[in-house]
Every structure is written in C-alpha cells, then in structure tokens.
Amino acid sequence: MALYKVAPKNPYYFWAVMSIVMQAHMSDSKLSCTMYLPLAERMIAKMVKENKLEGEAELKLYIMVLEKSGKRQQALDFVNGLLEASFLGTPGSRWNFYLTKKAELLLRMERYSESNAIYRQLLLDDPDQWQYYQDYFTSMFALVDINWTPDETTQSVSCDYTVELALVFIEQGIAREEAKSSKKLRGPYLACLELLQLLLKRNHSAASRLASPLEQIKQYFTIFGDKNCCFSDISNYLYMLESETDKFLADILTSLGLNGENTEDMLAKEPKIMQRHVCYLAVSRRLGKHCLSHQEKLRLAEELIHRHREGLTLGTDLLTTDLQYSDNYCLLAVHLLYDAWCESGDQLLLWTICALLESALKSSPSNFHIKLLLTKIYSYLGIYGPSVGIKLELRHIQFDTLGYMCFHPALKVGHYSAWKSVLTEALLFFSTNFKDTSEYIISAYKYGSFTKVYEFVQFRQRLNDSLQFALLNVEKNICDLILETSNHQSAEKVLTSMDIDPIIDECKWEDLRDNRDLDVMLTWDPPHSCLTHEQRHLSFTEQKQWLRLRNLTVRALTAAMLLPALPLSHESTTSQAVNGGGTNMCDALLSLHDQLKQHVEELETEHTCERRYSLQGPFCTLIYPFVTGRHGALLLQFLRVVQCCFFLQDDTGKLETSDLQMLTLEIDESMKLVIGRVSEGIIVEGNGQQQFSASTLTQAVLAVETLSHGCLLLGVCDKLLQPLRPVTGRKKSKKKEETVQQAVTSVISITTTQLLSEFSSLLVRMETFAQELLNAVSADAISMEMQQLNLKTTPSSDMIEDVWKKAQFSYSLSYKQIRDVIETKRKYLASLKPQSSKQPH
C-alpha cells in the first residue's frame, strides 16, 4: 500500500490485496473468515464501486475472494454484471470464462436448471469438452431426482430436465458428427457411453432406447481404434459387455482381417491396422482373455514378439525421438512373460524379458515405457538399471514423482556412488524449490496473474510436505555416515555438519503426502489385477514406516555421538545435567532406543512375508529383509552397549558385569544370524536350475550398513571409556591418588577390556565374512555361471548374453563398492585400536 500511496496504480493496490488473501490462506479458518477475507473483499469492492478495475486478473481475484468467503450469490451477481460485460468480446471462445464460471457457481448453488442450460450451450459450441458433459449429466440427473418442471418464471430456460431430453441432445450430437466428412470428435460418442452407464446404474428404463454397449463400443472402435487413446477411452465401459465379450472380440478380429492361416496374412501392412490390432489385444487382456496356461502364454508371447520385429519395418522412416508403431506388441509380450514368471518362478523368463526390452530399446530409444519396465525388471534381478545404460533422465518435478524408480534400486544393490549421486541431485531440486517458486510468485505478482500466486504457493507446500523429500533427507544422512566416515573424527564432523537435534523430531508426520506417480507405466491388466487404492495406501504406509525406521536410526546415532565423556565425580555429573549436558542426551538416547525397539517389533509383527505389488506398482521397501536379517536387533544391541559404556563413568550401579556379558552373547548370536543370511550366496538353486538371488545382495548391503553403524558406536564407546583407562608415564603426587586410581582400574578395566575385545572380534568376524563373500561371488565365478546358463537359453541367446554381461558388470560393481566400504570400516577400527594404549595429552 505504501507504493500505491506514492504512485496510485492498480497493480500496487492489488499486490496488497493478494498478500492479504495469501495471509488468509496461511491462517486458520476462523481468522481467515473474520479478518483477512472480509478486508480483501472491502478493498476490492471499493475499487469496483469507483469503477477502477482495469484488468481481467483483478476481476478474477474478486471472484476468488468472494468464493473463499462463501458468498456465491454475490459472486454470481458480479459475474452477471461487470464480468459479463468484460467478456462479451469473446462469445465463441473455447475457454469461455464468463459462461463456465457462471455455470460452475450455479451448480454449486444447486440452481440446476440454469446451470444445465449453460452447459448445454457450451456443449453446442464445444462438443469435445469432457468436463462439460460430466457437469451436464450431474445437473440433469439432479433435476430428474427432484422432479423439476419449468414454470412461468423459468419458461425461457432451455434446459434438459428429463432423461428423454438428454437422450435427444446426445443423439443429436452424434448425428452431427456422423454427418461430417472430416475428422470426427470423440466427445459425443463417449458421452453416449457415459449416459448409458449412468442409466444402467440407476436401472432406468430409458437405457433401452440407446444402442447396446456392444454396438456402441464396436462403433467407437471402428471410428477411433487406430488412435492411441482408444483403449483408455473405452476401458471403463468394457464391463458393460458382460456375456457379449467373446462376440465383441470376435467381431473386432474379423474386421481387422488378421486371422488368416498364412503367416503373411497375420501381419499388419499399415500402421493404422497395427494400432487397431494392438488395441484389440489390449482390450482382450483387460477382459481377462490372457488368463491362459503357462504354455499358451509363452506361445502368445512368441507370436507378439514376431509381430513386433516384423512391425519395425513400417517405422524405418521414423525419427529416433519417435516411438515405433510396434512397441506395444513387445510390451504386451513382456506382460505375458511376467505373468508366466509370477506363476512358475522360472528366472530365465526375467532374463528373456530384459533381452526383449533391450532389443526394443535399440529400435525405439525414446520409449520411456520400455525404460521404466527395464529398470523394474533389472531391480528384481539385483541389477541397477542406470549403471548398465538405462538412463531415465529425470528432471525437475520428476525427482518427486518418479524418483522412487532410482533411489530404491541403487540402495538395494549397493551402488553407493550412484545412490549418493542421485540423492544429491534430487535434494538439490528440493532445496532450490523455495527459491524457484519465490521467483514464480514474484513474476505472478508482477504480471497480475493473481490466481497463479495461490497455485505456486500450493505447489511449494506440496514439495515441502513430500514423503520423498523427507525420505531423501534421512537417506542422505545415512549415506554420508556410511561413505564419509573413515575414523571417529570424520564421523563427528559429518554428524556436526548435519545439524540434527536428536531430541526434536522435525518430521511433520501428519502433513506427509505421497506425490509418487504410480500410473506412469502402461498396464492393460483386468481391474482386479491393477494397482488398487488400498494397495497405494498400503505402499504409502510402508514408506512412512521405513522413513520412521531411518529417522529413529539417525537420531539415535546422533544422540550417541553427542554423549560427552563425563568425569567420575557425581558433582560434575550433576552440574552437566543442570546445564543440559550429557545426562539429558543419555535420556534422549534411552528414549530413542525404546522407540526404535518398539518400532522394530511392530515391523517384525506386521511384515511376516515379502510384499509384492503389480508390475506397474511401486517398489517394496527394505523392511522385510531388514527384519528377517536381524539388522534391527543388532543395531539395538550396539546402542545398549553405548549406554553401558556411559553408565560405567558413573558409580550408580546401573551396570553389572553379568549384563555386559549377556549383551555380548546376544550380539554374537545376532552376528551369526546376519552372517548366515548373507552367506547364502548370490547363486542359489531354484526350480531345478541355478538362479541369481538378489535378496542375498540386499542382505549384504544391509549388513554393511549395520557394520558402519557399529563402527560409529564403537568409536563412541572408545571415547567414553578414555577417562577410565589407566594413565602411565606420569608421576603421582600422592600415594592416596595412586590407590584410588588402582581401585578404579581394578573395578573397570576388566569390563572395559571385555567390551572392546568383544567389539573388535565382532568387527573382525564381519570383515572376514565380507571377504569370504567377495571371494565366493567374484567376477570370474559369475562369468562361469553365466556360461553354464547360456547353454540352456532359447534362440535369442545373443541378446541374453549381452544382458548377462551387463548383469556381470552391475554385480561386480556392487561387490566392489561393498568391499570398498568394508575396507574403509576396517580402517575405522584400526584407528580405534591404538587409542587404548595411547597416553592422553
């Protein structure tokens, strides 16, 4: 307003108004409705009264304020007055703001007859606008439900208030399209199907007046079957065919002319015929016709592969950025082979799928559906797709919506460098979100696009509340703790740079939202096999459980690192507690330990088997391998050892030697279980053949992570116990002090030595186990097993051999990076061992 007083221009005035509206958006509903919105309304009303509104954005802002205030009648009056006059210049506009806003307000105010009349007129002007049809049907059936009939005051309103009138209106729309010699619009035909569906749900007798579902869907396929959108358009109406599905499919196949006996007659000669055949196959799968025997699925997949390869000849003139016409043949074949794998567990089918997709990707390098499928299938085999050339090339918002396709697979197979890289790149996008959206908001203010200001603020909030953002933050912390800590000093620096307060949980659990795009992958499965709303919610809950596990882990590690080495005297301990020192942090560590223990127990109870979603669904988290591998139990035992070391400083009787011995035995048992799971080997026997076990690789990754956390906590123990170690080389001034020192040493040294000895042997055993695993699954061993498997493959063995070479590279890279981390942790241990004999300065 200061700017407006200096230079009375509308933009400055409405900047102030929009700022008040945004304050209303950020405030609670009571304050918003009683102060901010009424103030904004009065300010704009003043400009309206003085006839000072100049731009379209100012008119829309006033309507927005009135709608947020719940004053729909006042907004309608404004629309009928000043707004109508402002938009009369574009009566035939495709996006007629005046009419659409008026119809929307009338529909919300339940003035259905007037709303229906406007939507009817809008559809006459633009018969391909689907939202108009939906609102038209809503208002029409509302009038039918209340038995509305026109009276003297509404005689002039031309609305369809009965089903019969709606039928006539829709049929007239189709008649106009049928009379066209040019390109037909899809809207009227889909509207007829939608009306039939609504009438059947209501058991309305007027449904018999329309053509049957079979006739309507056949008609739609005949006109639009060569369009990519045909399947998605009719898929929601296929269930209405009921017992006529076989007749429908037979009629379509006959019309295609691809059911000849000769192989040549079975192949499409034109791209449009090929697209129709692909749509036919997709509809067949949606109707459950791909629920075949194992051999029948393989035969049909082989036929589709042949069609795909022959169909590539029709796309020789396409650009590399274009998708091949026959790509969907390959994708359909892949879905069939995946179904066969789910039933049989034959891993060679997965290798065949990868070979097919790799071959298809060479012909159609821009097909992201192939890339997404390859990334997922490779992940099932323990291969990280981007490391073998499958580049998803995520940009901007895709880090939030599709990032789950990169983050999880990299961690699962131990590609630490790629994991760190993708985490850093994604977090860079989220961290610049505030700056970027601020610039967008400033631009919206500058150019008067006030409605966009609200949208940009919502967009920013959506990213801030993203589950992916919260998960990336904590995963990056764990990544740094694994990769950037070669000794305890570096671990302290890493944790200090994170600036984590272990006492305060900064994650806003109630505000988290799932922004993942789980519909990006093509699917033609029957409705019962598609990803359901319940599965989406289950996946979201599972992701939050994993986030909580990682959150508690990082906070517990931070609390342990912040434990100060307190002196033995009780007075000093009390002083530290008063000043908010180590005692409070010890309490925080105890609390986090209990929370983590309870959470792990809940996960063990809930995740008794590995979850698997549909092919187009999300990845499962690592909760199941985490709980079955006993990594949670081992981490909790490490935390308890830190607590024991802390209590050794204070003569409170909280620790007995027997407690430490029992804890050491528990750690030894947990270590044996962890080693046992990882020692199962990456080559296992299954279905009478050798197979690659990706789960063993995941167990190795989790074991390395547990090793890393154990090293860090051992460093904490070493630092806590430093004041209790005997000091040599310094002359005692008093004999009494020497006696006290000897007494303390005699009480504590046995326990301390036992603790350090047990941990040293624990880490040595982990190191030995990792080395044995690397020796057993070396690059030469993998290559030899691949040669043996290669002898059993089908004619496409060349492509499968290429895929296996990529697999060998990925596995070798996984174990190389796992070995490098283990070597780093061995150096960590080596840096701790000499400290027991060092003299403090």
Side-chain angles (χ1 to χ4, degrees):
M1 288 303 293
L3 276 173
Y4 182 74
K5 291 177 181 178
V6 174
K9 296 181 179 180
N10 272 25
Y12 302 151
Y13 186 86
F14 281 92
W15 289 354
V17 174
M18 189 62 208
S19 298
I20 294 172
V21 174
M22 293 313 300
Q23 283 181 289
H25 169 65
M26 302 302 294
S27 305
D28 61 87
S29 57
K30 183 177 180 181
L31 188 61
S32 173
C33 294
T34 57
M35 186 173 75
Y36 292 119
L37 289 176
L39 176 59
E41 181 187 343
R42 288 195 301 271
M43 291 176 68
I44 303 178
K46 177 178 179 294
M47 299 295 282
V48 172
K49 186 177 180 180
E50 296 175 1
N51 197 23
K52 290 184 178 180
L53 295 185
E54 297 176 353
E56 174 186 326
E58 298 165 4
L59 302 173
K60 292 182 178 180
L61 178 59
Y62 189 35
I63 295 174
M64 183 174 72
V65 171
L66 292 174
E67 285 188 283
K68 286 183 176 295
S69 302
K71 298 181 179 181
R72 292 172 183 159
Q73 181 59 54
Q74 192 171 339
L76 181 61
D77 294 340
F78 179 72
V79 168
N80 286 329
L82 186 59
L83 190 67
E84 180 179 8
S86 301
F87 283 88
L88 279 179
T90 56
S93 172
R94 177 174 175 83
W95 305 106
N96 194 323
F97 178 77
Y98 158 64
L99 286 178
T100 53
K101 177 55 67 174
K102 183 176 180 180
E104 179 186 335
L105 287 170
L106 289 169
L107 188 61
R108 291 182 180 179
M109 295 169 65
E110 300 183 358
R111 292 167 61 173
Y112 300 118
S113 59
E114 299 169 74
S115 175
N116 182 269
I118 296 176
Y119 281 122
R120 191 178 190 279
Q121 182 59 47
L122 288 170
L123 285 171
L124 290 174
D125 296 336
D126 184 8
D128 208 32
Q129 182 57 247
W130 185 244
Q131 185 60 49
Y132 293 164
Y133 282 110
Q134 291 182 310
D135 292 333
Y136 168 80
F137 289 138
T138 300
S139 58
M140 183 272 293
F141 279 112
L143 292 172
V144 171
D145 291 340
I146 62 176
N147 295 320
W148 185 89
T149 54
D151 53 23
E152 295 179 357
T153 60
T154 57
Q155 285 291 342
S156 60
V157 178
S158 178
C159 66
D160 295 334
Y161 55 92
T162 65
V163 173
E164 288 72 19
L165 290 173
L167 289 173
V168 172
F169 178 71
I170 296 300
E171 289 170 350
Q172 287 175 348
I174 293 178
R176 284 191 291 271
E177 293 302 314
E178 291 292 327
K180 285 183 179 179
S181 57
S182 58
K183 180 180 177 181
K184 293 179 173 58
L185 299 177
R186 296 150 51 211
Y189 297 95
L190 284 175
C192 192
L193 274 169
E194 180 70 13
L195 180 57
L196 177 60
Q197 178 179 243
L198 293 172
L199 291 174
L200 289 175
K201 286 181 178 180
R202 288 169 165 258
N203 294 321
H204 201 288
S205 59
S208 60
R209 286 188 51 186
L210 290 169
S212 67
L214 175 63
E215 294 174 354
Q216 288 197 42
I217 297 176
K218 279 175 58 179
Q219 180 189 32
Y220 193 88
F221 184 88
T222 302
I223 301 173
F224 305 106
D226 57 343
K227 308 295 182 185
N228 289 327
C229 59
C230 182
F231 172 78
S232 59
D233 286 345
I234 64 177
S235 59
N236 292 329
Y237 306 107
L238 292 174
Y239 76 94
M240 294 192 295
L241 292 172
E242 296 179 345
S243 60
E244 296 181 308
T245 55
D246 292 336
K247 182 176 181 353
F248 168 70
L249 294 173
D251 290 346
I252 289 180
L253 186 59
T254 302
S255 67
L256 294 174
L258 299 179
N259 55 348
E261 297 181 358
N262 298 327
T263 305
E264 292 295 327
D265 296 335
M266 295 174 59
L267 300 176
K269 303 299 189 297
E270 299 176 8
K272 288 189 175 182
I273 296 177
M274 182 184 295
Q275 182 58 49
R276 287 178 180 274
H277 188 237
V278 167
C279 185
Y280 158 77
L281 292 169
V283 170
S284 300
R285 184 171 178 83
R286 173 55 61 93
L287 292 173
K289 300 305 179 181
H290 285 185
C291 296
L292 308 170
S293 67
H294 182 76
Q295 292 301 321
E296 288 173 333
K297 288 178 180 177
L298 296 182
R299 283 196 295 269
L300 180 56
E302 185 177 354
E303 176 192 331
L304 295 177
I305 293 168
H306 176 67
R307 289 182 181 276
H308 167 253
R309 289 172 180 166
E310 294 296 326
L312 293 176
T313 59
L314 299 177
T316 53
D317 297 333
L318 293 174
L319 300 175
T320 56
T321 53
D322 294 331
L323 306 187
Q324 286 289 336
Y325 301 122
S326 62
D327 279 350
N328 282 353
Y329 277 137
C330 178
L331 295 177
L332 282 163
V334 165
H335 279 76
L336 283 165
L337 293 175
Y338 179 80
D339 293 343
W341 171 72
C342 290
E343 294 172 358
S344 65
D346 185 359
Q347 199 177 80
L348 282 177
L349 290 171
L350 291 183
W351 294 110
T352 303
I353 288 174
C354 293
L356 289 173
L357 292 173
E358 287 280 7
S359 177
L361 191 60
K362 290 182 179 180
S363 304
S364 185
S366 298
N367 195 320
F368 68 93
H369 294 295
I370 295 177
K371 293 182 180 181
L372 291 173
L373 268 176
L374 257 177
T375 301
K376 177 152 285 192
I377 300 300
Y378 271 144
S379 180
Y380 291 158
L381 292 168
I383 303 168
Y384 183 52
S387 71
V388 293
I390 311 302
K391 304 298 183 183
L392 295 181
E393 299 176 353
L394 302 184
R395 295 290 184 271
H396 202 255
I397 190 63
Q398 290 176 328
F399 282 113
D400 191 26
T401 57
L402 296 179
Y404 69 94
M405 295 294 295
C406 294
F407 310 144
H408 172 84
L411 170 61
K412 179 181 176 183
V413 301
H415 281 220
Y416 293 112
S417 58
W419 183 41
K420 181 178 180 179
S421 176
V422 72
L423 288 176
T424 303
E425 191 176 1
L427 282 172
L428 179 62
F429 158 69
F430 281 103
S431 61
T432 58
N433 163 45
F434 188 88
K435 175 179 175 294
D436 292 342
T437 50
S438 297
E439 292 178 356
Y440 303 150
I441 293 170
I442 291 170
S443 297
Y445 271 108
K446 180 178 179 181
Y447 296 107
S449 301
F450 299 116
T451 55
K452 294 299 179 183
V453 174
Y454 182 69
E455 293 178 15
F456 286 137
V457 171
Q458 284 187 314
F459 176 74
R460 180 168 64 187
Q461 194 60 42
R462 169 190 168 183
L463 293 181
N464 288 339
D465 294 339
S466 171
L467 171 67
Q468 290 293 322
F469 184 29
L471 193 55
L472 287 172
N473 271 320
V474 70
E475 291 287 2
K476 183 61 166 61
N477 291 337
I478 291 179
C479 178
D480 289 342
L481 288 174
I482 295 174
L483 302 182
E484 306 297 333
T485 54
S486 58
N487 53 54
H488 197 66
Q489 290 73 25
S490 62
E492 290 177 329
K493 290 180 181 179
V494 168
L495 277 170
T496 302
S497 66
M498 292 179 184
D499 194 23
I500 299 172
D501 187 347
I503 299 176
I504 300 175
D505 186 1
E506 297 181 353
C507 185
K508 300 178 181 178
W509 297 97
E510 297 300 324
D511 296 334
L512 290 177
R513 56 183 297 167
D514 190 0
N515 295 333
R516 295 174 298 169
D517 184 358
L518 301 179
D519 297 316
V520 67
M521 296 179 67
L522 281 176
T523 180
W524 304 278
D525 293 344
H528 65 271
S529 300
C530 293
L531 193 66
T532 63
H533 176 73
E534 290 74 18
Q535 289 175 324
R536 294 169 191 265
H537 179 71
L538 182 64
S539 173
F540 181 46
T541 303
E542 184 180 353
Q543 289 286 333
K544 288 198 293 185
Q545 289 175 334
W546 177 250
L547 172 61
R548 180 166 176 77
L549 176 64
R550 308 295 263 182
N551 175 277
L552 289 172
T553 299
V554 171
R555 290 168 59 203
L557 292 174
T558 306
M561 291 291 290
L562 294 177
L563 282 177
L566 299 181
L568 286 175
S569 62
H570 182 70
E571 290 77 8
S572 299
T573 304
T574 305
S575 175
Q576 289 254 5
V578 172
N579 296 327
T583 305
N584 288 344
M585 196 53 64
C586 183
D587 293 339
L589 180 60
L590 288 171
S591 174
L592 289 168
H593 171 274
D594 294 341
Q595 293 179 52
L596 184 59
K597 180 180 179 182
Q598 180 181 357
H599 188 57
V600 170
E601 290 174 350
E602 292 172 355
L603 295 180
E604 290 174 346
T605 303
E606 183 175 345
H607 294 264
T608 56
C609 60
E610 188 171 11
R611 292 173 178 171
R612 178 178 292 171
Y613 301 98
S614 58
L615 183 58
Q616 79 277 13
F619 289 108
C620 297
T621 64
L622 299 184
I623 291 178
Y624 179 73
F626 180 85
V627 297
T628 55
R630 297 292 294 170
H631 303 285
L634 189 54
L635 176 60
L636 289 168
Q637 289 157 2
F638 279 133
L639 290 172
R640 285 167 57 195
V641 170
V642 173
Q643 295 168 20
C644 290
C645 292
F646 180 80
F647 289 136
L648 279 173
Q649 301 174 94
D650 192 5
D651 188 18
T652 58
K654 292 184 178 180
L655 175 68
E656 297 290 341
T657 306
S658 59
D659 295 336
L660 180 61
Q661 293 174 345
M662 184 65 67
L663 182 56
T664 304
L665 292 174
E666 292 177 5
I667 290 176
D668 187 60
E669 290 299 320
S670 296
M671 286 297 303
K672 289 179 181 178
L673 289 172
V674 171
I675 292 174
R677 290 303 306 273
V678 184
S679 299
E680 293 173 358
I682 195 170
I683 307 294
V684 297
E685 292 290 335
N687 294 317
Q689 61 183 348
Q690 289 182 320
Q691 297 185 354
F692 290 92
S693 175
S695 61
T696 304
L697 184 56
T698 303
Q699 286 294 338
V701 171
L702 292 173
V704 169
E705 185 176 304
T706 305
L707 168 65
S708 176
H709 298 337
C711 288
L712 188 148
L713 294 173
L714 180 59
V716 174
C717 294
D718 181 78
K719 189 170 184 179
L720 287 171
L721 294 174
Q722 282 294 332
L724 303 182
R725 292 195 172 100
V727 180
T728 58
R730 188 176 67 184
K731 187 179 290 185
K732 305 299 180 183
S733 59
K734 295 181 180 180
K735 186 175 181 179
K736 184 177 181 181
E737 288 184 1
E738 293 179 359
T739 305
V740 172
Q741 179 66 36
Q742 291 174 2
V744 171
T745 301
S746 63
V747 173
I748 296 177
S749 61
I750 297 176
T751 304
T752 303
T753 303
Q754 180 183 0
L755 176 64
L756 294 177
S757 174
E758 289 295 335
F759 266 92
S760 296
S761 62
L762 174 69
L763 295 172
V764 168
R765 286 198 301 273
M766 177 67 85
E767 192 175 37
T768 303
F769 147 74
Q771 189 61 51
E772 291 175 353
L773 178 63
L774 291 174
N775 292 337
V777 194
S778 63
D780 293 336
I782 293 176
S783 178
M784 182 178 62
E785 297 295 348
M786 285 183 175
Q787 292 174 5
Q788 294 176 2
L789 289 171
N790 193 24
L791 299 175
K792 305 177 184 178
T793 58
T794 54
S796 57
S797 58
D798 291 341
M799 278 305 304
I800 292 183
E801 184 178 357
D802 183 52
V803 170
W804 281 342
K805 288 180 181 178
K806 292 185 176 184
Q808 181 180 1
F809 172 78
S810 179
Y811 292 141
S812 300
L813 186 59
S814 293
Y815 280 102
K816 178 184 180 302
Q817 296 195 12
I818 289 174
R819 181 186 59 203
D820 290 345
V821 174
I822 294 174
E823 291 297 332
T824 302
K825 301 311 166 185
R826 292 178 65 183
K827 293 178 181 178
Y828 196 125
L829 294 176
S831 70
L832 296 178
K833 291 177 182 177
Q835 293 181 8
S836 60
S837 59
K838 283 183 180 179
Q839 298 177 12
H841 298 289

